[in-house]
CSV table of all heavy atoms in Angstrom, one decimal:
chain,number,residue,atom,x,y,z
J,130,ASP,N,-143.3,16.6,7.4
J,130,ASP,CA,-143.9,16.0,8.5
J,130,ASP,C,-145.3,16.6,8.8
J,130,ASP,O,-146.3,15.9,9.1
J,130,ASP,CB,-143.1,16.1,9.8
J,130,ASP,CG,-141.7,15.5,9.7
J,130,ASP,OD1,-141.6,14.6,8.9
J,130,ASP,OD2,-140.8,16.0,10.4
J,131,LEU,N,-145.4,17.9,8.6
J,131,LEU,CA,-146.7,18.6,8.8
J,131,LEU,C,-147.7,18.1,7.8
J,131,LEU,O,-148.9,18.0,8.1
J,131,LEU,CB,-146.5,20.1,8.8
J,131,LEU,CG,-147.8,20.9,9.2
J,131,LEU,CD1,-148.2,20.6,10.6
J,131,LEU,CD2,-147.5,22.4,9.0
J,132,GLN,N,-147.2,17.8,6.6
J,132,GLN,CA,-148.1,17.4,5.5
J,132,GLN,C,-148.8,16.0,5.9
J,132,GLN,O,-150.0,15.8,5.7
J,132,GLN,CB,-147.4,17.2,4.2
J,132,GLN,CG,-148.3,16.7,3.1
J,132,GLN,CD,-149.5,17.6,2.8
J,132,GLN,OE1,-149.4,18.8,2.7
J,132,GLN,NE2,-150.6,17.0,2.6
J,133,VAL,N,-148.0,15.2,6.6
J,133,VAL,CA,-148.6,13.9,7.1
J,133,VAL,C,-149.7,14.2,8.1
J,133,VAL,O,-150.8,13.6,8.0
J,133,VAL,CB,-147.5,13.0,7.6
J,133,VAL,CG1,-148.1,11.7,8.3
J,133,VAL,CG2,-146.5,12.6,6.6
J,134,ILE,N,-149.4,15.0,9.0
J,134,ILE,CA,-150.4,15.4,10.0
J,134,ILE,C,-151.6,16.0,9.4
J,134,ILE,O,-152.8,15.6,9.7
J,134,ILE,CB,-149.8,16.3,11.1
J,134,ILE,CG1,-148.8,15.6,12.0
J,134,ILE,CG2,-150.9,17.0,11.9
J,134,ILE,CD1,-148.1,16.4,13.0
J,135,SER,N,-151.4,16.9,8.4
J,135,SER,CA,-152.5,17.5,7.7
J,135,SER,C,-153.4,16.4,7.0
J,135,SER,O,-154.6,16.5,7.1
J,135,SER,CB,-152.0,18.5,6.7
J,135,SER,OG,-153.1,19.1,5.9
J,136,THR,N,-152.8,15.5,6.4
J,136,THR,CA,-153.6,14.4,5.8
J,136,THR,C,-154.4,13.6,6.8
J,136,THR,O,-155.6,13.3,6.6
J,136,THR,CB,-152.6,13.4,5.1
J,136,THR,OG1,-151.9,14.1,4.1
J,136,THR,CG2,-153.4,12.3,4.4
J,137,MET,N,-153.8,13.4,8.0
J,137,MET,CA,-154.5,12.6,9.0
J,137,MET,C,-155.7,13.4,9.7
J,137,MET,O,-156.6,12.8,10.2
J,137,MET,CB,-153.6,12.1,10.1
J,137,MET,CG,-152.5,11.2,9.5
J,137,MET,SD,-153.1,9.9,8.4
J,137,MET,CE,-153.7,8.8,9.6
J,138,VAL,N,-155.6,14.7,9.6
J,138,VAL,CA,-156.7,15.5,10.3
J,138,VAL,C,-157.7,16.1,9.3
J,138,VAL,O,-158.7,16.8,9.6
J,138,VAL,CB,-156.2,16.7,11.1
J,138,VAL,CG1,-155.3,16.1,12.3
J,138,VAL,CG2,-155.4,17.7,10.3
J,139,GLN,N,-157.5,15.8,8.0
J,139,GLN,CA,-158.5,16.2,7.0
J,139,GLN,C,-159.9,15.7,7.3
J,139,GLN,O,-160.0,14.5,7.7
J,139,GLN,CB,-158.1,15.8,5.6
J,139,GLN,CG,-159.0,16.2,4.5
J,139,GLN,CD,-158.6,15.7,3.1
J,139,GLN,OE1,-157.6,15.1,2.9
J,139,GLN,NE2,-159.5,16.0,2.2
J,140,ASP,N,-160.8,16.6,7.3
J,140,ASP,CA,-162.2,16.3,7.6
J,140,ASP,C,-162.5,16.1,9.1
J,140,ASP,O,-163.6,15.6,9.5
J,140,ASP,CB,-162.7,15.1,6.8
J,140,ASP,CG,-162.7,15.4,5.3
J,140,ASP,OD1,-163.3,16.4,4.9
J,140,ASP,OD2,-162.2,14.6,4.5
J,141,ALA,N,-161.6,16.4,9.9
J,141,ALA,CA,-161.8,16.4,11.4
J,141,ALA,C,-162.9,17.5,11.7
J,141,ALA,O,-162.9,18.5,11.0
J,141,ALA,CB,-160.6,16.7,12.2
J,142,VAL,N,-163.7,17.3,12.7
J,142,VAL,CA,-164.6,18.3,13.1
J,142,VAL,C,-164.4,18.6,14.6
J,142,VAL,O,-164.0,17.7,15.4
J,142,VAL,CB,-166.1,17.8,12.9
J,142,VAL,CG1,-166.4,17.8,11.4
J,142,VAL,CG2,-166.4,16.5,13.5
J,143,LEU,N,-164.8,19.8,15.0
J,143,LEU,CA,-164.7,20.2,16.4
J,143,LEU,C,-165.6,21.3,16.7
J,143,LEU,O,-165.8,22.2,15.8
J,143,LEU,CB,-163.2,20.6,16.7
J,143,LEU,CG,-162.7,21.9,16.1
J,143,LEU,CD1,-161.8,22.6,17.1
J,143,LEU,CD2,-162.0,21.6,14.8
J,144,PRO,N,-166.1,21.4,17.9
J,144,PRO,CA,-166.9,22.6,18.3
J,144,PRO,C,-165.8,23.7,18.6
J,144,PRO,O,-164.7,23.5,19.0
J,144,PRO,CB,-167.5,22.2,19.7
J,144,PRO,CG,-167.3,20.7,19.8
J,144,PRO,CD,-166.2,20.3,18.9
J,145,VAL,N,-166.2,24.9,18.3
J,145,VAL,CA,-165.3,26.1,18.5
J,145,VAL,C,-164.9,26.1,19.9
J,145,VAL,O,-163.8,26.6,20.2
J,145,VAL,CB,-166.0,27.4,18.0
J,145,VAL,CG1,-167.1,27.8,18.9
J,145,VAL,CG2,-165.0,28.4,17.7
J,146,SER,N,-165.6,25.6,20.8
J,146,SER,CA,-165.3,25.7,22.3
J,146,SER,C,-164.1,24.7,22.6
J,146,SER,O,-163.5,24.8,23.7
J,146,SER,CB,-166.5,25.3,23.1
J,146,SER,OG,-166.9,23.9,22.8
J,147,GLU,N,-163.7,23.9,21.7
J,147,GLU,CA,-162.6,23.0,21.9
J,147,GLU,C,-161.3,23.5,21.4
J,147,GLU,O,-160.4,22.7,21.1
J,147,GLU,CB,-162.9,21.6,21.3
J,147,GLU,CG,-164.1,20.9,22.0
J,147,GLU,CD,-163.9,20.6,23.5
J,147,GLU,OE1,-162.7,20.6,24.0
J,147,GLU,OE2,-164.9,20.4,24.2
J,148,MET,N,-161.2,24.8,21.2
J,148,MET,CA,-159.9,25.4,20.9
J,148,MET,C,-159.3,26.0,22.2
J,148,MET,O,-160.0,26.6,23.0
J,148,MET,CB,-160.1,26.6,19.9
J,148,MET,CG,-160.6,26.2,18.5
J,148,MET,SD,-160.6,27.5,17.3
J,148,MET,CE,-161.3,28.8,18.1
J,149,SER,N,-158.0,25.8,22.4
J,149,SER,CA,-157.4,26.3,23.6
J,149,SER,C,-156.1,27.0,23.3
J,149,SER,O,-155.2,26.5,22.7
J,149,SER,CB,-157.1,25.1,24.5
J,149,SER,OG,-156.4,25.5,25.7
J,150,TRP,N,-156.1,28.3,23.7
J,150,TRP,CA,-154.9,29.1,23.5
J,150,TRP,C,-154.3,29.5,24.9
J,150,TRP,O,-155.0,30.0,25.7
J,150,TRP,CB,-155.3,30.4,22.7
J,150,TRP,CG,-154.3,31.5,22.8
J,150,TRP,CD1,-154.6,32.8,23.0
J,150,TRP,CD2,-152.9,31.5,22.4
J,150,TRP,NE1,-153.5,33.6,22.9
J,150,TRP,CE2,-152.5,32.9,22.6
J,150,TRP,CE3,-152.0,30.6,22.1
J,150,TRP,CZ2,-151.1,33.2,22.3
J,150,TRP,CZ3,-150.7,30.9,21.9
J,150,TRP,CH2,-150.3,32.2,22.0
J,151,ARG,N,-153.1,29.0,25.1
J,151,ARG,CA,-152.5,29.3,26.4
J,151,ARG,C,-151.2,30.1,26.2
J,151,ARG,O,-150.1,29.6,25.9
J,151,ARG,CB,-152.1,27.9,27.1
J,151,ARG,CG,-153.4,27.1,27.4
J,151,ARG,CD,-153.1,26.0,28.2
J,151,ARG,NE,-154.3,25.3,28.6
J,151,ARG,CZ,-154.4,24.2,29.3
J,151,ARG,NH1,-153.3,23.6,29.7
J,151,ARG,NH2,-155.6,23.7,29.6
J,152,PRO,N,-151.3,31.4,26.2
J,152,PRO,CA,-150.2,32.3,25.9
J,152,PRO,C,-149.0,32.1,26.8
J,152,PRO,O,-147.9,32.2,26.3
J,152,PRO,CB,-150.8,33.7,26.0
J,152,PRO,CG,-152.3,33.6,26.3
J,152,PRO,CD,-152.6,32.1,26.5
J,153,LYS,N,-149.2,31.9,28.1
J,153,LYS,CA,-148.0,31.7,29.0
J,153,LYS,C,-147.2,30.5,28.6
J,153,LYS,O,-146.0,30.5,28.8
J,153,LYS,CB,-148.5,31.7,30.4
J,153,LYS,CG,-149.0,33.0,30.9
J,153,LYS,CD,-149.3,32.9,32.4
J,153,LYS,CE,-149.9,34.3,32.9
J,153,LYS,NZ,-150.3,34.3,34.2
J,154,GLU,N,-147.9,29.4,28.1
J,154,GLU,CA,-147.2,28.2,27.7
J,154,GLU,C,-146.9,28.2,26.3
J,154,GLU,O,-146.2,27.3,25.8
J,154,GLU,CB,-148.1,27.0,28.0
J,154,GLU,CG,-148.5,26.8,29.4
J,154,GLU,CD,-149.5,25.7,29.6
J,154,GLU,OE1,-149.6,24.8,28.8
J,154,GLU,OE2,-150.2,25.7,30.6
J,155,ARG,N,-147.3,29.3,25.6
J,155,ARG,CA,-147.1,29.4,24.1
J,155,ARG,C,-147.6,28.2,23.3
J,155,ARG,O,-146.9,27.7,22.5
J,155,ARG,CB,-145.6,29.7,23.8
J,155,ARG,CG,-145.2,31.0,24.5
J,155,ARG,CD,-143.7,31.3,24.4
J,155,ARG,NE,-143.1,30.8,23.2
J,155,ARG,CZ,-142.0,31.2,22.7
J,155,ARG,NH1,-141.4,32.3,23.2
J,155,ARG,NH2,-141.5,30.7,21.6
J,156,ARG,N,-148.8,27.7,23.7
J,156,ARG,CA,-149.3,26.5,23.1
J,156,ARG,C,-150.8,26.8,22.6
J,156,ARG,O,-151.5,27.4,23.3
J,156,ARG,CB,-149.3,25.4,24.1
J,156,ARG,CG,-150.0,24.1,23.6
J,156,ARG,CD,-149.9,23.0,24.6
J,156,ARG,NE,-148.5,22.6,24.8
J,156,ARG,CZ,-147.9,22.6,26.0
J,156,ARG,NH1,-148.6,22.8,27.1
J,156,ARG,NH2,-146.7,22.3,26.1
J,157,PHE,N,-151.1,26.3,21.5
J,157,PHE,CA,-152.4,26.3,20.9
J,157,PHE,C,-152.8,24.9,20.6
J,157,PHE,O,-152.1,24.2,20.0
J,157,PHE,CB,-152.5,27.2,19.7
J,157,PHE,CG,-153.9,27.3,19.1
J,157,PHE,CD1,-154.9,28.1,19.6
J,157,PHE,CD2,-154.2,26.5,18.0
J,157,PHE,CE1,-156.1,28.2,19.1
J,157,PHE,CE2,-155.5,26.6,17.4
J,157,PHE,CZ,-156.4,27.4,18.0
J,158,ALA,N,-154.0,24.5,21.0
J,158,ALA,CA,-154.4,23.1,20.8
J,158,ALA,C,-155.9,23.0,20.4
J,158,ALA,O,-156.7,23.9,20.8
J,158,ALA,CB,-154.2,22.3,22.1
J,159,LEU,N,-156.2,22.0,19.6
J,159,LEU,CA,-157.6,21.7,19.2
J,159,LEU,C,-157.9,20.3,19.6
J,159,LEU,O,-157.1,19.4,19.3
J,159,LEU,CB,-157.7,21.8,17.7
J,159,LEU,CG,-157.2,23.2,17.0
J,159,LEU,CD1,-157.1,23.0,15.5
J,159,LEU,CD2,-158.3,24.2,17.3
J,160,LEU,N,-159.1,20.1,20.2
J,160,LEU,CA,-159.6,18.7,20.5
J,160,LEU,C,-160.5,18.4,19.3
J,160,LEU,O,-161.6,18.9,19.2
J,160,LEU,CB,-160.3,18.6,21.8
J,160,LEU,CG,-160.8,17.3,22.2
J,160,LEU,CD1,-159.7,16.2,22.2
J,160,LEU,CD2,-161.6,17.3,23.5
J,161,LEU,N,-160.0,17.5,18.4
J,161,LEU,CA,-160.7,17.1,17.2
J,161,LEU,C,-161.4,15.8,17.3
J,161,LEU,O,-161.0,14.9,18.0
J,161,LEU,CB,-159.7,17.0,16.1
J,161,LEU,CG,-158.7,18.1,15.8
J,161,LEU,CD1,-157.6,17.5,14.9
J,161,LEU,CD2,-159.3,19.3,15.3
J,162,ASN,N,-162.5,15.6,16.5
J,162,ASN,CA,-163.0,14.3,16.2
J,162,ASN,C,-162.5,14.0,14.8
J,162,ASN,O,-163.0,14.4,13.8
J,162,ASN,CB,-164.6,14.4,16.2
J,162,ASN,CG,-165.1,14.7,17.6
J,162,ASN,OD1,-164.9,13.9,18.5
J,162,ASN,ND2,-165.6,15.9,17.8
J,163,ARG,N,-161.4,13.2,14.8
J,163,ARG,CA,-160.7,13.0,13.6
J,163,ARG,C,-161.2,11.7,12.9
J,163,ARG,O,-161.5,10.7,13.5
J,163,ARG,CB,-159.2,12.7,14.0
J,163,ARG,CG,-158.2,12.4,12.9
J,163,ARG,CD,-156.8,12.2,13.3
J,163,ARG,NE,-156.6,10.9,14.0
J,163,ARG,CZ,-156.4,9.8,13.3
J,163,ARG,NH1,-156.5,9.7,12.1
J,163,ARG,NH2,-156.2,8.7,14.0
J,164,PHE,N,-161.4,11.9,11.5
J,164,PHE,CA,-161.8,10.7,10.7
J,164,PHE,C,-160.5,9.8,10.6
J,164,PHE,O,-159.4,10.3,10.3
J,164,PHE,CB,-162.3,11.1,9.4
J,164,PHE,CG,-162.8,9.9,8.6
J,164,PHE,CD1,-164.1,9.4,8.8
J,164,PHE,CD2,-162.0,9.3,7.7
J,164,PHE,CE1,-164.5,8.3,8.2
J,164,PHE,CE2,-162.5,8.2,7.0
J,164,PHE,CZ,-163.7,7.7,7.2
């Protein structure tokens, strides 16, 4: 399943400022501009 996601996000771009690490929620997220 992760391979499918990987294919869909290949060549996505993002500013480094759009990375979010929330340790209390144990969640890491990226806001991408996905092709």
Side-chain angles (χ1 to χ4, degrees):
D130 300 333
L131 187 62
Q132 179 59 45
V133 173
I134 288 177
S135 179
T136 299
M137 301 311 283
V138 298
Q139 181 180 355
D140 297 309
V142 293
L143 70 145
V145 73
S146 61
E147 295 298 341
M148 296 189 311
S149 175
W150 163 230
R151 297 188 175 176
K153 289 182 181 177
E154 297 174 26
R155 298 172 34 154
R156 177 176 296 128
F157 180 77
L159 305 165
L160 179 61
L161 311 166
N162 293 294
R163 180 179 76 78
F164 186 80

